[in-house]
Amino acid sequence: MSLSATAPTRMNRIVIYGLLLIFAAVYLVPLFVMLATSFKTLDEIRGGNILALPAQPTIEPWARAWGSACIGVTCEGIKGYFWNSIKMVVPAVLISTALGALNGYVLTKWRFPGHRIVFGLMLFACFIPFQSVLIPMARVLGQLGISNSTAGLVMVHVIYGLGFTTLFFRNYYDAFPDELIHSAQMDGAGFLTIFWRILLPSSAPIIVVTVIYQFTNIWNDFLFGVSFSSGANAPMTVALNNLVASSTGVKEYNVDMAAAVIAALPTLIVYVVAGRYFMRGLMAGAVKG
Amino acid sequence: MPSPSPSARSRLQDWLPRLVLAPSFALVLVFVYGFIVWTGVISMTNSRILPVYNWVGLDAYARLFAQPNWWMALKNLAIFGSLYITICIALGLFLAILLDQKIRIEGFLRPIYLYPMALSFVVTGTAWKWFLNPGMGFQNTMRQWGWEGFTFDWLVRPDMAIYTVAIAGIWQASGFVMAMFLAGLRGIDSEMLNAATVDGASSWTIYRRIVIPLLRPAFLSAVIVLAHMAIKSYDLVIALTGGGPGNATELPSTFMYSYTFTRSQMAVGSASAMIMLMGIAAIMVPYLYSELREGRK
């Protein structure tokens, strides 16, 4: 909505634009500082101004962050951890999205007595503090022989992502006309045929939202990563924290910042490319429709 | 529901939906609710490094609340949570109202307020830790620019460090709150507002008396989401302050982790996790219950 009738004066407009631009600058400062620092030499950082552009830009810190920075006892940069995160995030997103789609379908189009309580329990599971399941999960991963492995993290992320993916698909399929389902049933189509032929082809928007939401959450996860993995098996966020928190040797702020930007890049790219859907995902997660 | 029929094939069709849902539901029952019960059981034992099952009742809870560290964590959560929620909402609403004044560059500005939400808390913490570094960060820059006496060393001051956590958290989430309010504003019927304008109400009055009350659902969602994020905040503190200086920025989440995994006080750690869960449940259960009831057709 907007107050079109109260014609704002020119002065008002200037103040509004001014405020908006000042805030935009404030929000951009940390990203700018990260980027600027990541292209500076250590000498320039020590003597310099954090808000200044690099005088002699260098990509050396990026190369070091990617390939040779020391994390723990190994000095091979963050590339291995970056791939760990990729190997974790891809299967976890695909599996949790697929299950969420099926669950949402059942919970809207094949309702059974008690479907509401089933959904309620799955919904509350989205919001629990994960501290309340960490200790049992660590025990179970150990007993399954997948502690400190990517497979273990995939399992954890699938399980604790199910609530949200189910929520997204349930809300989307809820608005899908039941008549189409009924007429397909008249034609003899079964449970899976209806899902495959009728619902799935029109699910592209919600699949995009769910995939983006899950990708962002799982890529950015730290708690599960730090609890259930260590050493060379850690995901990107854990490696970044270890790199930045390490206190041995010379503190290479430029390398830290390059690593931070690398850790942020996948989700930032998704945000820039598909911001609209990203937003919808956040809102759907926040405001249950 | 398809009508029941004697053939095996159609009986399978009847059960198929439930069979498809069952694995997911079973996983949630076991790994969420079962594990919560398990954690609850551990919190009533005297477990230290590993879970042992010697029942000692509420002893761990008594020890938890006898810990000055735990009270520190609760106090910090109160400070961080209240600032985080109120400032995110105030700032989010302010920006949403400004952006809603037919701003021509809205499409350019909105993503700038929102991008921090795409970052991981570890990245946010890392960036702010560097920016707030008293020796080389923002403080140093202001001094270089000629403001010799400028001091902003909250990051290393035990009494002020928790406020830096709030600053970084607000930076990350306020754009998202802005988007929630903007969506709410866009949903308001402009006819009603035009009528009020015709009646001669000033735009300040219109916002205060009509628009903001109409945003009630957005306020409620924002408070719920932010409160829940505040209680769960963990990575941000770890990356920004590591819980320090000393234990100055300890939160329940960091307390739980260190007591369970590094201080070998698993029972106390579990007890703190159960308290966190109760806090979240107190906020989420009534909210989800009312949302689900409203959704009922």
Coordinates of all heavy atoms in Angstrom, one line a residue, chain A residues 1-2 6 13 17 20 23 27 31 37 45 47-50 103 110-111 121 127-128 131-132 135-137 160 174 191 220 222 226-227 253 257 267 271 279 283 288, chain B residues 1 13 21 24 31 33 35 39 91 100-102 104 111 113-115 118 120 130 136 141 144-145 171 174 179 185 193 197 207 232 235 253 256-257 270 280 291 297:
Chain A
M1 N 0.8 -1.2 0.0 CA 0.0 0.0 0.0 C 0.9 1.2 0.0 O 2.0 1.2 0.3 CB -0.9 0.0 1.2 CG -0.2 0.1 2.6 SD -0.6 1.6 3.4 CE 0.9 2.3 3.6
S2 N 0.4 2.3 -0.4 CA 1.1 3.6 -0.3 C 0.2 4.7 -0.2 O -1.0 4.6 -0.6 CB 2.0 3.7 -1.5 OG 1.2 4.0 -2.6
T6 N -1.5 11.7 0.0 CA -0.7 12.7 0.7 C 0.6 13.0 -0.1 O 1.6 12.4 0.1 CB -0.3 12.2 2.1 OG1 0.5 11.0 1.9 CG2 -1.5 11.9 3.0
R13 N 10.9 13.6 0.3 CA 11.5 12.6 -0.6 C 13.0 12.5 -0.4 O 13.5 11.5 -0.4 CB 11.1 12.9 -2.1 CG 9.7 13.1 -2.4 CD 8.9 11.8 -2.2 NE 9.3 10.7 -3.1 CZ 8.8 9.5 -3.0 NH1 8.0 9.2 -2.0 NH2 9.1 8.6 -3.9
Y17 N 14.9 9.1 0.7 CA 16.0 8.5 -0.1 C 17.3 8.5 0.6 O 18.1 7.6 0.6 CB 16.1 9.3 -1.5 CG 15.1 8.7 -2.5 CD1 13.8 9.2 -2.6 CD2 15.6 7.7 -3.4 CE1 13.0 8.6 -3.6 CE2 14.7 7.2 -4.3 CZ 13.4 7.7 -4.4 OH 12.6 7.1 -5.4
L20 N 17.3 5.8 3.3 CA 17.4 4.5 2.6 C 18.8 4.2 2.1 O 19.4 3.1 2.3 CB 16.4 4.4 1.5 CG 14.9 4.2 1.9 CD1 14.0 4.3 0.7 CD2 14.7 2.8 2.6
F23 N 21.3 3.6 5.1 CA 21.1 2.2 5.6 C 21.7 1.2 4.6 O 22.4 0.3 5.1 CB 19.7 1.9 5.9 CG 19.3 2.3 7.3 CD1 18.5 3.5 7.5 CD2 19.7 1.6 8.4 CE1 18.1 3.9 8.7 CE2 19.3 2.0 9.7 CZ 18.5 3.2 9.8
Y27 N 24.5 -1.6 5.6 CA 24.4 -3.0 5.4 C 25.5 -3.6 4.5 O 25.9 -4.7 4.7 CB 23.1 -3.4 4.8 CG 21.9 -3.4 5.8 CD1 21.2 -2.3 6.1 CD2 21.6 -4.6 6.5 CE1 20.2 -2.3 7.0 CE2 20.6 -4.6 7.4 CZ 19.9 -3.4 7.7 OH 18.9 -3.5 8.6
L31 N 30.4 -6.5 4.1 CA 30.8 -7.3 2.9 C 31.9 -6.6 2.2 O 32.9 -7.2 1.7 CB 29.6 -7.4 2.0 CG 29.8 -8.2 0.7 CD1 30.1 -9.6 1.0 CD2 28.6 -8.1 -0.3
T37 N 39.6 -6.4 2.4 CA 40.7 -7.0 3.1 C 41.2 -8.2 2.4 O 42.5 -8.5 2.4 CB 40.2 -7.4 4.5 OG1 39.6 -6.3 5.1 CG2 41.3 -7.9 5.4
I45 N 47.4 -4.2 5.4 CA 46.4 -4.3 6.5 C 46.9 -3.8 7.8 O 46.2 -3.0 8.5 CB 46.0 -5.8 6.6 CG1 45.2 -6.3 5.4 CG2 45.2 -6.0 7.9 CD1 45.0 -7.8 5.4
G47 N 49.2 -1.5 8.5 CA 49.3 -0.1 8.6 C 48.1 0.7 8.2 O 48.0 1.9 8.4
G48 N 47.1 0.0 7.6 CA 46.1 0.7 6.8 C 44.8 0.9 7.5 O 44.6 0.7 8.7
N49 N 43.9 1.3 6.6 CA 42.6 1.7 7.0 C 41.6 0.6 6.5 O 41.6 0.2 5.3 CB 42.3 3.0 6.3 CG 40.9 3.6 6.6 OD1 40.0 2.8 6.7 ND2 40.8 4.9 6.7
I50 N 40.8 0.1 7.4 CA 39.9 -1.0 7.1 C 38.9 -0.7 6.0 O 38.5 -1.6 5.2 CB 39.2 -1.6 8.3 CG1 38.8 -3.0 8.1 CG2 38.1 -0.7 8.7 CD1 38.3 -3.6 9.4
N103 N 5.5 -36.5 1.4 CA 4.7 -36.3 2.7 C 3.7 -35.2 2.5 O 2.5 -35.4 3.0 CB 5.7 -35.8 3.8 CG 6.7 -36.9 4.1 OD1 6.5 -38.0 3.8 ND2 7.8 -36.5 4.7
W110 N -4.4 -37.3 0.7 CA -4.8 -38.7 1.1 C -4.9 -38.7 2.6 O -4.3 -39.5 3.3 CB -3.7 -39.7 0.6 CG -3.6 -39.8 -0.8 CD1 -2.9 -39.0 -1.6 CD2 -4.3 -40.7 -1.7 NE1 -3.1 -39.3 -3.0 CE2 -3.9 -40.4 -3.0 CE3 -5.1 -41.8 -1.4 CZ2 -4.4 -41.1 -4.1 CZ3 -5.6 -42.5 -2.5 CH2 -5.2 -42.2 -3.8
R111 N -5.7 -37.8 3.1 CA -5.8 -37.6 4.5 C -6.3 -38.8 5.2 O -7.2 -39.5 4.6 CB -6.6 -36.4 4.9 CG -5.9 -35.1 4.5 CD -6.6 -33.9 4.9 NE -5.6 -32.8 4.8 CZ -6.0 -31.5 4.6 NH1 -7.2 -31.2 4.5 NH2 -5.0 -30.6 4.5
L121 N 3.2 -32.8 14.8 CA 4.4 -33.3 15.4 C 5.6 -33.0 14.4 O 6.7 -32.7 14.9 CB 4.3 -34.8 15.7 CG 3.5 -35.1 16.9 CD1 3.2 -36.6 16.9 CD2 4.1 -34.6 18.1
F127 N 11.4 -26.7 14.9 CA 11.8 -25.6 15.7 C 12.5 -26.0 16.9 O 13.0 -25.1 17.7 CB 10.5 -24.8 16.1 CG 9.8 -24.2 14.9 CD1 8.7 -24.9 14.4 CD2 10.3 -23.1 14.2 CE1 8.0 -24.4 13.2 CE2 9.7 -22.6 13.1 CZ 8.5 -23.3 12.6
I128 N 12.7 -27.3 17.2 CA 13.4 -27.7 18.4 C 14.8 -27.1 18.4 O 15.4 -27.0 17.4 CB 13.4 -29.2 18.6 CG1 14.1 -29.8 17.4 CG2 12.0 -29.7 18.8 CD1 14.7 -31.2 17.7
Q131 N 20.2 -28.7 20.3 CA 21.0 -29.1 21.5 C 20.2 -30.3 22.2 O 20.9 -31.1 22.8 CB 21.1 -28.0 22.5 CG 22.2 -27.0 22.2 CD 21.8 -26.0 21.1 OE1 20.7 -26.0 20.7 NE2 22.8 -25.2 20.6
S132 N 18.9 -30.3 22.1 CA 18.2 -31.4 22.8 C 18.2 -32.7 22.1 O 17.7 -33.7 22.6 CB 16.7 -30.9 23.0 OG 16.1 -30.7 21.7
I135 N 23.2 -35.2 21.9 CA 23.9 -36.3 22.6 C 23.4 -37.7 22.0 O 24.3 -38.5 21.6 CB 23.8 -36.2 24.1 CG1 24.4 -34.9 24.6 CG2 24.4 -37.4 24.8 CD1 24.0 -34.6 26.1
P136 N 22.1 -37.9 22.0 CA 21.7 -39.2 21.4 C 22.1 -39.4 20.0 O 22.5 -40.5 19.6 CB 20.1 -39.1 21.5 CG 19.9 -38.1 22.6 CD 21.0 -37.2 22.6
M137 N 22.1 -38.3 19.2 CA 22.5 -38.4 17.8 C 24.0 -38.8 17.7 O 24.3 -39.7 16.9 CB 22.3 -37.1 17.1 CG 22.3 -37.2 15.6 SD 20.9 -38.1 15.1 CE 21.2 -38.4 13.4
Y160 N 16.5 -33.8 10.1 CA 16.0 -32.5 10.7 C 15.6 -31.5 9.7 O 15.1 -30.4 10.1 CB 17.1 -32.0 11.7 CG 17.3 -33.0 12.8 CD1 18.5 -33.7 12.9 CD2 16.3 -33.2 13.7 CE1 18.7 -34.7 13.9 CE2 16.5 -34.1 14.7 CZ 17.7 -34.9 14.8 OH 17.8 -35.8 15.8
D174 N -1.9 -28.0 -0.6 CA -3.2 -27.7 0.1 C -4.1 -26.9 -0.9 O -5.3 -27.1 -0.9 CB -3.0 -27.0 1.4 CG -4.1 -27.2 2.3 OD1 -4.7 -28.3 2.3 OD2 -4.5 -26.3 3.1
F191 N -2.3 -43.9 -6.6 CA -1.6 -43.0 -5.7 C -0.3 -42.4 -6.4 O -0.2 -41.2 -6.5 CB -1.2 -43.7 -4.4 CG -0.3 -42.9 -3.5 CD1 -0.9 -41.9 -2.7 CD2 1.0 -43.2 -3.4 CE1 -0.1 -41.2 -1.8 CE2 1.8 -42.5 -2.5 CZ 1.3 -41.5 -1.7
N220 N 25.0 -23.6 5.4 CA 25.3 -22.7 6.5 C 25.4 -23.3 7.9 O 25.8 -22.7 8.9 CB 24.3 -21.5 6.6 CG 24.6 -20.5 5.4 OD1 25.6 -20.5 4.8 ND2 23.6 -19.7 5.2
F222 N 26.3 -25.0 11.2 CA 27.6 -25.2 11.9 C 27.5 -26.2 13.1 O 28.4 -27.0 13.3 CB 28.0 -23.8 12.5 CG 29.3 -23.8 13.3 CD1 30.5 -23.9 12.7 CD2 29.2 -23.7 14.7 CE1 31.7 -23.9 13.5 CE2 30.4 -23.7 15.4 CZ 31.6 -23.8 14.8
V226 N 30.0 -29.2 13.6 CA 31.1 -29.2 14.6 C 30.8 -30.3 15.6 O 31.8 -30.9 16.2 CB 31.1 -27.8 15.3 CG1 30.0 -27.6 16.3 CG2 32.5 -27.6 16.0
S227 N 29.6 -30.8 15.8 CA 29.3 -31.9 16.7 C 29.6 -33.2 16.2 O 30.1 -34.1 16.9 CB 27.8 -31.9 17.1 OG 27.4 -30.6 17.6
Y253 N 44.9 -12.0 8.3 CA 43.5 -11.5 8.2 C 43.0 -11.6 6.8 O 41.8 -11.9 6.5 CB 43.4 -10.1 8.7 CG 43.7 -10.0 10.2 CD1 44.9 -9.5 10.6 CD2 42.8 -10.4 11.1 CE1 45.2 -9.4 12.0 CE2 43.1 -10.4 12.5 CZ 44.3 -9.9 12.9 OH 44.6 -9.8 14.2
M257 N 39.6 -13.6 5.5 CA 38.5 -12.9 4.8 C 38.2 -13.6 3.5 O 37.1 -13.8 3.1 CB 38.8 -11.4 4.6 CG 38.8 -10.6 5.9 SD 37.2 -10.8 6.8 CE 37.8 -11.2 8.4
T267 N 25.9 -19.6 -1.2 CA 24.6 -19.1 -0.8 C 24.3 -17.7 -1.4 O 23.2 -17.3 -1.8 CB 24.4 -19.1 0.7 OG1 25.5 -18.5 1.3 CG2 24.2 -20.5 1.2
Y271 N 21.3 -16.6 -3.8 CA 20.5 -15.4 -3.4 C 20.4 -14.4 -4.5 O 19.3 -13.9 -4.8 CB 21.1 -14.8 -2.2 CG 20.4 -13.5 -1.8 CD1 19.1 -13.5 -1.4 CD2 21.1 -12.3 -1.8 CE1 18.5 -12.3 -1.1 CE2 20.5 -11.1 -1.5 CZ 19.2 -11.1 -1.1 OH 18.6 -9.9 -0.8
M279 N 13.5 -15.5 -1.0 CA 12.6 -14.8 -0.1 C 11.3 -15.6 0.3 O 10.9 -15.6 1.4 CB 12.2 -13.5 -0.8 CG 12.2 -12.2 -0.1 SD 13.1 -12.3 1.4 CE 11.8 -12.4 2.5
M283 N 10.0 -16.7 3.9 CA 8.7 -16.3 4.4 C 7.9 -17.6 4.7 O 7.2 -17.6 5.7 CB 8.0 -15.5 3.4 CG 8.7 -14.2 3.0 SD 8.7 -13.1 4.3 CE 7.8 -11.8 3.5
K288 N 3.7 -19.7 8.6 CA 3.0 -20.9 8.1 C 1.7 -20.4 7.5 O 0.8 -19.8 8.1 CB 2.7 -21.7 9.3 CG 2.7 -23.2 9.1 CD 1.9 -23.9 10.1 CE 0.5 -24.2 9.6 NZ -0.2 -23.3 8.8
Chain B
M1 N -10.5 -40.1 -0.3 CA -10.2 -41.5 -0.1 C -10.8 -42.4 -1.1 O -12.1 -42.3 -1.3 CB -10.6 -41.9 1.3 CG -9.8 -41.4 2.4 SD -8.3 -42.4 2.6 CE -7.4 -41.4 3.7
Q13 N -3.4 -50.0 -2.5 CA -3.6 -48.5 -2.8 C -4.1 -47.8 -1.6 O -3.7 -46.6 -1.4 CB -4.6 -48.4 -3.9 CG -4.0 -48.7 -5.3 CD -3.1 -47.6 -5.8 OE1 -3.1 -46.5 -5.3 NE2 -2.2 -47.9 -6.7
L21 N 4.3 -42.2 3.9 CA 4.5 -41.2 5.0 C 5.2 -41.8 6.2 O 6.0 -41.1 6.8 CB 3.2 -40.6 5.4 CG 3.3 -39.5 6.5 CD1 3.9 -38.2 5.9 CD2 1.9 -39.1 6.9
S24 N 9.1 -41.3 7.1 CA 9.5 -39.9 7.5 C 8.9 -39.7 8.9 O 9.6 -39.1 9.8 CB 8.8 -38.9 6.6 OG 9.3 -39.0 5.3
F31 N 14.0 -39.7 16.0 CA 15.1 -38.8 16.1 C 14.8 -37.5 16.7 O 15.7 -36.8 17.1 CB 15.7 -38.7 14.7 CG 16.5 -39.8 14.2 CD1 15.9 -40.9 13.6 CD2 17.9 -39.9 14.4 CE1 16.6 -42.0 13.2 CE2 18.6 -41.0 14.0 CZ 17.9 -42.1 13.4
Y33 N 11.5 -36.8 18.8 CA 10.8 -37.0 20.1 C 11.5 -38.0 21.0 O 11.7 -37.9 22.2 CB 9.4 -37.2 19.9 CG 8.7 -36.1 19.2 CD1 8.5 -36.0 17.8 CD2 8.4 -34.9 19.9 CE1 8.0 -34.9 17.2 CE2 7.9 -33.8 19.3 CZ 7.7 -33.8 17.9 OH 7.2 -32.7 17.3
F35 N 14.6 -38.8 20.9 CA 15.9 -38.3 21.3 C 15.7 -37.3 22.4 O 16.6 -37.1 23.3 CB 16.7 -37.7 20.1 CG 17.4 -38.7 19.3 CD1 17.2 -40.1 19.5 CD2 18.3 -38.3 18.4 CE1 17.9 -41.0 18.7 CE2 19.0 -39.2 17.6 CZ 18.8 -40.6 17.7
T39 N 17.5 -37.5 25.9 CA 18.2 -36.4 26.5 C 17.7 -36.0 27.9 O 18.4 -35.8 28.9 CB 18.2 -35.1 25.6 OG1 18.7 -35.4 24.3 CG2 19.0 -34.0 26.2
L91 N 13.8 -1.5 13.4 CA 14.5 -1.2 12.2 C 13.8 -1.8 10.9 O 13.6 -1.1 9.9 CB 15.9 -1.8 12.3 CG 17.0 -1.3 11.4 CD1 17.1 0.2 11.5 CD2 18.3 -2.0 11.7
D100 N 8.2 1.7 1.3 CA 6.8 1.6 0.8 C 6.3 2.9 0.3 O 5.1 3.1 -0.1 CB 5.9 1.0 1.9 CG 4.6 0.5 1.3 OD1 4.7 -0.1 0.2 OD2 3.6 0.6 1.9
Q101 N 7.2 3.9 0.2 CA 6.7 5.2 -0.3 C 7.0 5.4 -1.8 O 7.5 6.4 -2.2 CB 7.5 6.3 0.5 CG 7.4 6.2 2.0 CD 6.0 6.2 2.5 OE1 5.2 7.0 2.1 NE2 5.7 5.3 3.5
K102 N 6.7 4.4 -2.5 CA 6.9 4.5 -4.0 C 8.3 4.9 -4.3 O 8.6 5.9 -4.9 CB 5.9 5.5 -4.6 CG 4.5 5.1 -4.5 CD 3.7 5.7 -5.7 CE 2.4 4.9 -5.9 NZ 1.3 5.5 -5.1
R104 N 11.6 4.6 -6.2 CA 11.9 4.1 -7.6 C 13.0 3.0 -7.6 O 13.0 2.2 -8.4 CB 12.3 5.3 -8.5 CG 11.8 5.1 -9.9 CD 11.9 6.4 -10.7 NE 10.9 7.4 -10.3 CZ 11.2 8.7 -10.5 NH1 12.3 9.1 -11.0 NH2 10.2 9.6 -10.1
P111 N 17.4 -6.0 -2.1 CA 18.4 -7.1 -1.9 C 19.6 -6.7 -1.0 O 20.2 -7.6 -0.4 CB 18.9 -7.3 -3.3 CG 18.0 -6.6 -4.2 CD 17.2 -5.6 -3.5
Y113 N 19.5 -4.9 1.7 CA 19.1 -5.0 3.1 C 19.0 -6.5 3.5 O 19.1 -6.9 4.7 CB 17.7 -4.4 3.4 CG 17.7 -2.9 3.1 CD1 16.5 -2.3 2.6 CD2 18.8 -2.1 3.4 CE1 16.5 -1.0 2.3 CE2 18.7 -0.7 3.2 CZ 17.6 -0.2 2.6 OH 17.5 1.2 2.4
L114 N 18.7 -7.3 2.5 CA 18.4 -8.7 2.8 C 19.6 -9.7 2.6 O 19.5 -10.8 3.2 CB 17.3 -9.2 1.8 CG 15.9 -9.3 2.4 CD1 14.9 -9.3 1.3 CD2 15.8 -10.5 3.2
Y115 N 20.6 -9.3 1.9 CA 21.6 -10.3 1.6 C 22.3 -11.0 2.8 O 22.7 -12.1 2.8 CB 22.7 -9.8 0.7 CG 23.8 -9.0 1.3 CD1 25.0 -9.7 1.8 CD2 23.7 -7.7 1.6 CE1 26.0 -8.9 2.4 CE2 24.7 -7.0 2.2 CZ 25.8 -7.6 2.7 OH 26.8 -6.9 3.3
A118 N 21.4 -14.5 3.8 CA 21.9 -15.6 3.0 C 23.2 -16.2 3.6 O 23.7 -17.2 3.2 CB 22.1 -15.3 1.5
S120 N 26.1 -17.5 6.3 CA 26.1 -18.3 7.5 C 26.5 -17.4 8.7 O 27.3 -16.5 8.5 CB 27.0 -19.5 7.3 OG 28.3 -19.3 7.9
W130 N 36.4 -9.0 12.6 CA 37.4 -8.3 12.0 C 37.1 -6.8 12.0 O 37.9 -5.9 12.3 CB 37.6 -8.8 10.6 CG 38.5 -8.0 9.7 CD1 38.2 -7.6 8.4 CD2 39.9 -7.6 9.9 NE1 39.3 -6.9 7.9 CE2 40.3 -6.9 8.8 CE3 40.7 -7.7 11.0 CZ2 41.6 -6.3 8.7 CZ3 42.0 -7.1 10.9 CH2 42.4 -6.4 9.8
M136 N 42.8 -2.9 14.6 CA 43.0 -2.7 13.2 C 41.7 -2.4 12.5 O 41.6 -2.2 11.3 CB 43.6 -4.0 12.6 CG 45.1 -4.1 13.0 SD 45.9 -5.4 12.1 CE 45.7 -6.7 13.2
T141 N 40.3 3.0 12.1 CA 40.0 3.8 11.0 C 39.5 5.2 11.4 O 40.0 6.2 10.9 CB 38.9 3.1 10.2 OG1 39.4 1.9 9.7 CG2 38.5 3.9 9.0
Q144 N 42.4 7.1 12.5 CA 43.2 7.6 11.3 C 42.6 8.8 10.6 O 43.3 9.6 10.1 CB 43.4 6.4 10.3 CG 44.4 5.4 10.7 CD 44.7 4.5 9.6 OE1 44.2 4.6 8.5 NE2 45.5 3.5 9.8
W145 N 41.3 8.8 10.6 CA 40.6 9.9 10.0 C 40.6 11.2 10.8 O 40.0 12.1 10.5 CB 39.1 9.5 9.7 CG 39.0 8.6 8.5 CD1 40.0 8.4 7.5 CD2 37.9 7.9 8.0 NE1 39.6 7.6 6.6 CE2 38.3 7.2 6.8 CE3 36.6 7.8 8.5 CZ2 37.4 6.4 6.1 CZ3 35.7 7.0 7.8 CH2 36.1 6.3 6.6
W171 N 22.2 -6.9 12.3 CA 22.7 -6.7 10.9 C 22.2 -7.8 10.1 O 21.7 -7.6 9.0 CB 24.2 -6.6 10.9 CG 24.8 -6.5 9.5 CD1 24.8 -5.4 8.7 CD2 25.4 -7.5 8.8 NE1 25.4 -5.7 7.5 CE2 25.8 -7.0 7.5 CE3 25.7 -8.9 9.0 CZ2 26.4 -7.7 6.5 CZ3 26.3 -9.6 8.1 CH2 26.7 -9.1 6.8
S174 N 17.7 -8.1 10.4 CA 16.7 -7.0 10.3 C 16.2 -6.8 8.9 O 15.0 -6.5 8.7 CB 17.4 -5.7 10.8 OG 18.6 -5.5 10.2
A179 N 11.5 -7.4 5.2 CA 10.7 -8.0 4.1 C 9.4 -8.5 4.6 O 8.4 -8.5 3.9 CB 11.6 -9.2 3.5
L185 N 2.6 -4.8 4.5 CA 2.2 -3.5 4.0 C 1.5 -3.6 2.7 O 0.5 -3.0 2.4 CB 3.3 -2.5 3.9 CG 3.9 -2.0 5.3 CD1 5.2 -1.2 5.0 CD2 2.9 -1.1 5.9
L193 N -7.1 3.4 3.3 CA -6.2 4.4 3.6 C -6.5 5.7 2.9 O -6.4 6.8 3.4 CB -4.8 4.0 3.3 CG -4.4 2.7 4.1 CD1 -3.1 2.1 3.5 CD2 -4.1 3.1 5.5
T197 N -7.2 9.4 4.3 CA -6.5 10.5 3.9 C -7.5 11.6 3.5 O -7.3 12.8 3.8 CB -5.7 10.2 2.6 OG1 -5.1 8.9 2.9 CG2 -4.6 11.2 2.4
Y207 N -0.4 5.9 9.8 CA 0.4 4.7 10.2 C 0.2 4.3 11.6 O 0.1 3.1 11.9 CB 1.9 5.1 10.0 CG 2.4 4.8 8.6 CD1 2.5 5.8 7.6 CD2 2.6 3.5 8.2 CE1 2.9 5.6 6.3 CE2 3.0 3.2 6.9 CZ 3.1 4.3 6.0 OH 3.5 4.0 4.7
K232 N 18.2 -20.2 19.8 CA 19.1 -21.2 19.1 C 20.5 -20.6 18.7 O 21.3 -21.4 18.3 CB 18.4 -21.7 17.9 CG 17.3 -22.7 18.3 CD 16.3 -23.1 17.2 CE 16.8 -24.0 16.1 NZ 15.7 -24.6 15.4
D235 N 26.3 -20.4 16.5 CA 27.4 -20.2 15.6 C 27.9 -18.7 15.7 O 29.1 -18.5 15.6 CB 27.1 -20.5 14.2 CG 25.8 -21.2 13.9 OD1 25.0 -21.4 14.9 OD2 25.6 -21.6 12.8
S253 N 23.1 -21.9 24.5 CA 23.6 -22.9 23.5 C 25.1 -23.2 23.7 O 25.5 -24.3 23.5 CB 23.3 -22.3 22.1 OG 23.9 -21.0 22.0
M256 N 25.6 -25.3 26.8 CA 25.2 -26.7 26.6 C 26.4 -27.4 25.9 O 26.8 -28.5 26.4 CB 24.0 -26.8 25.8 CG 23.4 -28.2 25.6 SD 24.3 -29.0 24.2 CE 23.7 -30.7 24.5
Y257 N 26.9 -26.8 24.9 CA 27.9 -27.5 24.1 C 29.2 -27.7 25.0 O 29.8 -28.8 25.0 CB 28.3 -26.7 22.9 CG 29.0 -27.5 21.9 CD1 28.4 -28.2 20.9 CD2 30.4 -27.5 21.9 CE1 29.1 -29.0 20.0 CE2 31.1 -28.3 21.0 CZ 30.4 -29.0 20.0 OH 31.1 -29.8 19.2
S270 N 22.8 -31.8 29.4 CA 21.5 -32.2 29.0 C 20.4 -31.4 29.7 O 19.4 -31.1 29.0 CB 21.3 -33.7 29.3 OG 22.3 -34.5 28.8
I280 N 11.8 -22.8 24.0 CA 11.3 -22.8 22.7 C 9.8 -23.3 22.6 O 9.0 -22.7 22.0 CB 12.1 -23.7 21.7 CG1 13.6 -23.2 21.7 CG2 11.5 -23.9 20.4 CD1 13.9 -22.5 20.4
E291 N -2.0 -21.3 14.8 CA -1.9 -21.3 13.3 C -2.6 -22.5 12.7 O -3.3 -22.4 11.7 CB -0.5 -21.3 12.9 CG 0.3 -20.0 13.2 CD 0.1 -19.0 12.1 OE1 0.3 -19.4 10.9 OE2 -0.2 -17.8 12.4
K297 N -10.3 -26.1 8.0 CA -11.4 -25.7 7.2 C -12.7 -26.5 7.5 O -12.6 -27.6 7.8 CB -11.1 -25.8 5.7 CG -10.2 -24.6 5.3 CD -9.7 -24.9 3.8 CE -8.4 -25.5 3.9 NZ -7.8 -26.0 2.7

